[in-house]
Amino acid sequence: MLDLYLNQRFAGAVEIDELGAYTLRYADEWLSSSRGFPLSMSLPLAEQTYSGKRVENVLRGYLPESKVVLDSWSKRYRISDPSDPISVLAKVGEDVAGAAQFVPHDENIATAELLIELDDAEIAELIADARVTGGSMPHIERVPRLSLAGMQPKFALHRLENGKWALPAGRAASTHIFKPGRPELDEIERLETALMRAARQCGIPTAEADVMTFGDETTYVTTRYDRLTTDHGIARVHQEDFAQAMGISPGQKYEDDGGPSAAQYVNLIRETSSAPTEDIATFVRLTAFNVAVGNADAHAKNFGLLIAPSEHVRFAPAYDISSLAPYPGFGQELAFSIGGERRYKAIELAHWQKFARRSGLNADEVVAQVHAVWSRVPDVVGDELKRASVDRTVSGPVEELFPSIESRTRMLEQRSTIVPEGPFFTHEQQDPGASGVDLT
């Protein structure tokens, strides 16, 4: 059994019952608290015991998908079944995505912050090691009880006020994610940094990103948007990815694998967001940007929700924006189709209109949002690729997408020269209202 803490407060427990099912039950004091919120939107606050695949899928969503990392942890921590998320989270669940912390039932949650300062040489060693081990840190004597989801090699550190870096332990939270590039994805660190910055210039909130060098090693570093600097230190902000919010397995993150469609993503935002009109518009802009730059890996685990007390929910800032256009050995079809089309180079006006109809959205408004992004992409992406010093072998294939985008943008203009003033939702799907979210 693991005790669940949210924002350092006891919130419930997860365990495997006598039938082998994963269960979650919220604590009475958490249910009655004015600061309460759910672990997942797929497991809303309620006086009941949740049981089954939804609970398992949410827990599994906190773990790496890399078998290399899980096998390394299995050896280090003597985990007999690394496929069991409760067994793994018992060892590495102290610092995960969002405000959740998982603590073995017979242990107390850490109350002291421990920060082990690292020099540049030690960080360089971590970066080089992560390329091989996925970020499991097998050569570090005291490993943080920290888990980052996803397939790519990564690890997280805490940035001190003096700008230096430290391994977090105890109550301390990581503040930045380090994602070293892979040999088969040349220059990916610079490419992702450039595209994240370009997306922000297209009206899409994104996590802050940069390329940093430590010794002889270069890595992509992103600031965690689920961490907040307060007068009392670094606070955790709760978040989950769309797969968790839908209660589906990480293995269903692609539409082809039984995962969500574009319309289902829109519906999730519509049903959960405190400001659905604004957040759906952001999702449309982000999707338009991904199509324009060839980000074929924008799947259910690469979108998120921020969850605050009283279930105030917002679409999370964008993260993991890249392009697979420079890497033809990887799949070049989108993670989900737009109006039935998954080839990002082929998506045009008719597909966006079909997407709008299927999603219960105003087609003119959707086209206007796409136009607003596509009309800026060639200039802002081109500028950011240069600013990030992306090598021509990598930036070239991205820039080769621009003439097609410019042509398809002109097709959109026959429907959208200005953003219409009508409702974003059709009459069948009216906006249920909007409210701000206090993340503090």
Side-chain angles (χ1 to χ4, degrees), residues 113-146:
E113 287 193 355
L114 300 175
L115 293 167
I116 305 166
E117 191 170 321
L118 302 174
D119 60 29
D120 281 9
E122 290 171 314
I123 296 173
E125 184 178 356
L126 284 177
I127 295 168
D129 191 70
R131 299 186 204 278
V132 178
T133 67
S136 59
M137 302 184 184
H139 305 116
I140 297 293
E141 183 176 346
R142 181 165 187 168
V143 179
R145 293 174 62 171
L146 179 155

Side-chain angles (χ1 to χ4, degrees), residues 148-196:
L148 296 170
M151 281 293 297
Q152 295 190 48
K154 58 175 78 76
F155 60 92
L157 297 178
H158 179 106
R159 190 160 206 174
L160 302 169
E161 290 184 2
N162 62 8
K164 295 187 177 182
W165 298 94
L167 283 169
R171 183 175 177 172
S174 56
T175 61
H176 292 70
I177 294 173
F178 288 59
K179 195 163 64 173
R182 294 152 58 186
E184 67 273 26
L185 295 173
D186 188 39
E187 293 270 303
I188 190 67
E189 305 101 318
R190 298 186 184 280
L191 177 61
E192 188 164 344
T193 299
L195 294 180
M196 289 281 283

Side-chain angles (χ1 to χ4, degrees), residues 224-268:
R224 296 191 68 151
Y225 62 77
D226 59 345
R227 301 293 183 261
L228 190 66
T229 301
T230 72
D231 293 340
H232 306 290
I234 302 298
R236 293 175 169 89
V237 175
H238 198 46
Q239 74 118 50
E240 64 175 341
D241 63 50
F242 273 22
Q244 291 173 305
M246 294 177 169
I248 63 174
S249 163
Q252 293 176 288
K253 60 187 179 183
Y254 297 103
E255 186 176 17
D256 263 6
D257 294 327
S261 66
Q264 288 173 308
Y265 286 130
V266 170
N267 199 50
L268 174 68

Side-chain angles (χ1 to χ4, degrees), residues 250-381:
Q252 293 176 288
K253 60 187 179 183
Y254 297 103
E255 186 176 17
D256 263 6
D257 294 327
S261 66
Q264 288 173 308
Y265 286 130
V266 170
N267 199 50
L268 174 68
I269 299 171
R270 180 184 287 121
E271 291 181 346
T272 60
S273 173
S274 302
T277 297
E278 181 180 343
D279 284 349
I280 290 173
T282 300
F283 173 77
V284 172
R285 289 196 300 273
L286 175 55
T287 301
F289 187 87
N290 286 333
V291 170
V293 301
N295 182 13
D297 206 39
H299 49 66
K301 291 191 69 61
N302 281 342
F303 301 107
L305 295 175
L306 291 170
I307 305 171
S310 302
E311 294 192 25
H312 287 292
V313 179
R314 294 301 302 269
F315 185 47
Y319 54 97
D320 282 358
I321 300 177
S322 192
S323 172
L324 288 177
Y327 314 108
F330 289 79
Q332 297 295 310
E333 292 191 335
L334 297 172
F336 57 91
S337 66
I338 303 298
E341 179 59 74
R342 290 182 55 211
R343 296 170 299 166
Y344 57 82
K345 296 179 182 179
I347 293 171
E348 53 189 33
L349 175 64
H351 300 108
W352 291 111
Q353 292 170 325
K354 187 181 293 185
F355 156 73
R357 289 195 299 272
R358 291 177 176 177
S359 304
L361 300 176
N362 181 309
D364 286 344
E365 174 68 18
V366 167
V367 172
Q369 296 290 349
V370 176
H371 179 272
V373 173
W374 281 10
S375 62
R376 291 185 56 79
V377 160
D379 287 339
V380 299
V381 172

Side-chain angles (χ1 to χ4, degrees), residues 62-64 73 88-89 92-93 95-97 144-149 224:
Y62 286 108
L63 301 178
W73 283 347
V88 180
L89 286 170
V92 297
D95 191 26
V96 298
R145 293 174 62 171
L146 179 155
S147 177
L148 296 170
R224 296 191 68 151

